[in-house]
Amino acid sequence: MKAVVLAAGKGTRFKSDKPKVLHEILGKPMLWYVLNTVRQGGIEDIAVVVGHGAEEVKKTFGDEFAYFVQENPKGGTADAVLASVDFWRNAEDYLLIINGDSPLVTSDTIKNMQRFLTLVEEYEKVELAGVVLTSVLQDPTGYGRIVKEEGTDRILRIVEEKDATPQERNIREVNGGVYIFYIPYLLEALFKIKPSEATGELYLTDVVDYMVSKGYEIRSFMASDPTEVLGVNTRWELSFAENILRLKLIKYWAQRGVTFHIPETVWIEPDVSLSKNVEVYPNVFLKGRTRLSEGVVVKTGAVVRDSELSENVVVEPYSVIEKSKVERGAKVGPYAHIRERTRVGEKSEVGNFVEVKRSTFGKRVKAKHLAYIGDAEVGDGTNVGAGVVTANYDGRKKHRTEIGKNVFVGSNSLLVAPIKLGDFAYVAGGSVVTKDVPEEALAVERAELRILKGRGKKLLKP
Ligand code: UD1
Ligand code: CA
């Protein structure tokens, strides 16, 4: 089976220059969810109908999909399907059509709709012309209403709200915007339907009426969870969809042995992967391709993006870790900033207000307070004192700092790169180090401290 995804609309109600389907939910464009659902629903051959911002959409999703441009993206959903007719017309098969603004539909639903067709065929010996995903909503406002033959699952018509009579508006079963149609009938119907009198658009939903008039049968398939059919037409609905997906992801990981404290405040993106016994505190953000191994604890307000945290790493509150790797048993924060391409070795500690960038720390390295370490290599067992700074930038270029094993870098020293400190080197506090320090040497750079008796009193007392 092939699939067509409708994504040409402007999304007028979004009040945005960006195509609606590129607006993000948990860091991924809305359309990503729909494409993913279709693929995981077992359909590989997918066409996307684009219109508004066509180039941007194509660029975002690349050549894994076929694209068809709807010349008039206000032509309506049937016009959009027709724009892709060359993609599907020759198959004597079913075609799945799904709205690009339905990010909550699950792949299970896509699979079950296909199974439903087969089951009806096998057990009832009825070849359906189509199946439509529906749901019963408390408030059906804005959705197409499903008019059925009483007491059956046969759909007679789908009436858009703008064209509905007051009686039809009272129907609470709505069209979820996911359809499977038998191609030969769909083709026939699409060429027969007329534009809506209310809007001038060609409605895909009108093919149902036509098919039924020809004696073909279309059935409803009820979504197992009513939130699945949510169409995202406004920014508020986008927020709402994001919340639902977020809580679903949290529940998924909780079922796999992750503890979340105050889960309604935790942000977690779909490519994040967690192991059992991970513990996540309030207001934590887990983003991108982050992976947390067993026993990792991420405390309040921490942000971890595209990073790998090995077993039992603890991230203390309000730390930020980006594009880095933290090895087992290491401790980060509170208020630490680990920037891109950093590796923090086993059992190392990166503490309060320490910023690390493009650096590698060996095992048991300590940099616990107020330091900046950039473009550096730091050997096992080295201690980086409070306020140590690697001066890695000379105004033109970045230079590297190499610090050996078991080095002691005293507080407030400045390491002017490029520079090397050998194993067991000792830098006295407050030194500005501009030359390499050999193994086991002591480096002291310090003006003489003068003690002038009685001068303090003179300065302080009037
Ligand atoms: C549509 C359905 C409605 C259903 C609802 C479910 C029709 C006529 N109505 O209404 O029955 O309850 O979805 O969410 O289909 N699009 C195009 N080209 C167009 C118009 C739309 O590609 O000319 C795309 C949009 O980008 C969007 C999708 O089709 O992704 C649905 O269009 P939208 O205008 O949002 O339809 P609804 O009014 O929500
Ligand atoms: Ca919609």
Side-chain angles (χ1 to χ4, degrees):
M1 193 182 296
K2 291 182 172 185
V4 172
V5 180
L6 308 182
K10 183 163 193 289
T12 313
R13 285 167 283 180
F14 256 66
K15 304 189 170 40
S16 165
D17 298 331
K18 187 158 84 171
K20 179 171 88 171
V21 292
L22 292 187
H23 280 260
E24 288 183 358
I25 292 175
L26 300 174
K28 298 268 190 198
M30 188 195 312
L31 187 56
W32 179 87
Y33 292 89
V34 177
L35 294 170
N36 221 29
T37 287
V38 174
R39 230 178 345 202
Q40 288 179 0
I43 302 173
E44 294 289 336
D45 214 353
I46 304 171
V48 184
V49 180
V50 290
H52 278 283
E55 288 311 311
E56 237 179 299
V57 177
K58 285 187 204 172
K59 218 172 74 195
T60 307
F61 294 98
D63 52 15
E64 249 174 281
F65 307 98
Y67 297 93
F68 291 86
V69 177
Q70 186 185 7
E71 296 301 336
N72 171 19
K74 277 200 170 133
T77 43
D79 185 59
V81 175
L82 276 170
S84 69
V85 69
D86 290 339
F87 176 70
W88 50 265
R89 73 186 319 156
N90 289 325
E92 235 178 87
D93 189 8
Y94 286 92
L95 176 70
L96 180 108
I97 302 171
I98 181 167
N99 285 351
D101 67 350
S102 298
L104 297 185
V105 176
T106 64
S107 52
D108 279 343
T109 293
I110 301 293
K111 282 186 206 151
N112 288 335
M113 284 176 76
Q114 297 172 70
R115 233 172 257 151
F116 179 72
L117 270 181
T118 329
L119 286 178
V120 172
E121 202 175 317
E122 251 171 58
Y123 292 99
E124 298 183 37
K125 307 287 175 223
V126 177
E127 287 187 13
L128 294 179
V131 188
V132 178
L133 181 68
T134 72
S135 182
V136 175
L137 299 184
Q138 288 292 356
D139 176 11
T141 307
Y143 291 87
R145 309 296 206 278
I146 302 289
V147 181
K148 280 183 172 173
E149 190 183 298
E150 228 177 284
T152 73
D153 279 338
R154 284 194 203 128
I155 304 181
L156 298 177
R157 270 179 313 127
I158 302 176
V159 192
E160 291 308 303
E161 180 155 291
K162 284 176 186 149
D163 308 88
T165 63
Q167 236 168 4
E168 287 167 335
R169 283 187 197 190
N170 284 335
I171 299 173
R172 283 171 48 227
E173 184 168 3
V174 303
N175 169 19
V178 186
Y179 323 78
I180 297 177
F181 288 123
Y182 185 58
I183 286 173
Y185 301 162
L186 175 68
L187 196 61
E188 178 189 339
L190 281 172
F191 284 109
K192 288 285 161 51
I193 56 174
K194 300 267 180 317
S196 145
E197 281 180 20
T199 63
E201 287 181 25
L202 214 50
Y203 292 159
L204 176 58
T205 44
D206 281 348
V207 302
V208 172
D209 193 19
Y210 177 83
M211 288 185 192
V212 170
S213 77
K214 290 281 155 181
Y216 309 141
E217 187 172 338
I218 294 168
R219 296 230 190 135
S220 61
F221 182 88
M222 189 91 67
S224 50
D225 172 357
T227 61
E228 267 192 59
V229 305
L230 179 83
V232 176
N233 301 304
T234 62
R235 302 222 189 201
W236 185 238
E237 283 166 342
L238 184 77
S239 305
F240 189 72
E242 185 167 72
N243 253 340
I244 292 173
L245 273 166
R246 194 172 54 78
L247 289 172
K248 268 192 181 176
L249 275 171
I250 289 176
K251 188 173 170 196
Y252 172 90
W253 289 115
Q255 284 165 338
R256 280 156 186 79
V258 177
T259 297
F260 292 92
H261 302 283
I262 322 193
E264 61 272 33
T265 67
V266 172
W267 176 278
I268 177 167
E269 297 186 354
D271 287 339
V272 168
S273 121
L274 307 177
S275 302
K276 66 178 197 290
N277 295 323
V278 161
E279 202 162 338
V280 181
Y281 281 76
N283 294 315
V284 162
F285 281 66
L286 303 175
K287 305 174 68 147
R289 298 194 167 272
T290 288
R291 292 171 55 132
L292 309 187
S293 298
E294 256 192 85
V296 167
V297 181
V298 185
K299 297 203 185 152
T300 305
V303 179
V304 185
R305 181 165 66 89
D306 293 319
S307 296
E308 215 178 308
L309 277 48
S310 304
E311 288 79 0
N312 302 318
V313 163
V314 177
V315 181
E316 295 290 348
Y318 304 105
S319 298
V320 177
I321 303 176
E322 300 164 301
K323 296 188 179 171
S324 291
K325 191 166 191 301
V326 182
E327 315 261 22
R328 63 183 69 199
K331 198 178 125 185
V332 174
Y335 299 101
H337 189 185
I338 311 269
R339 289 169 53 196
E340 78 278 5
R341 293 172 61 185
T342 291
R343 214 178 81 216
V344 177
E346 268 180 55
K347 300 211 165 118
S348 285
E349 292 181 41
V350 178
N352 306 261
F353 304 102
V354 173
E355 176 182 349
V356 187
K357 188 211 73 174
R358 286 181 193 247
S359 295
T360 304
F361 282 14
K363 296 177 186 168
R364 297 177 316 281
V365 170
K366 285 187 179 144
K368 295 180 68 162
H369 330 268
L370 300 159
Y372 171 63
I373 307 295
D375 304 301
E377 209 147 303
V378 183
D380 298 350
T382 284
N383 187 89
V384 177
V388 168
V389 169
T390 54
N392 59 332
Y393 185 53
D394 59 10
R396 292 163 184 249
K397 271 187 170 173
K398 299 278 168 66
H399 300 282
R400 296 198 61 81
T401 300
E402 282 176 45
I403 305 176
K405 294 182 183 167
N406 302 304
V407 172
F408 184 91
V409 188
S411 294
N412 245 12
S413 39
L414 182 67
L415 307 179
V416 182
I419 198 161
K420 278 186 195 170
L421 313 186
D423 296 351
F424 288 99
Y426 194 114
V427 175
S431 303
V432 175
V433 186
T434 51
K435 295 176 207 155
D436 290 352
V437 183
E439 272 183 44
E440 300 179 6
L442 168 69
V444 201
E445 186 269 357
R446 201 172 283 170
E448 190 195 346
L449 175 70
R450 294 191 298 160
I451 306 285
L452 307 177
K453 279 193 180 156
R455 271 292 280 277
K457 189 170 157 190
K458 223 171 138 186
L459 288 168
L460 291 170
K461 288 199 174 166

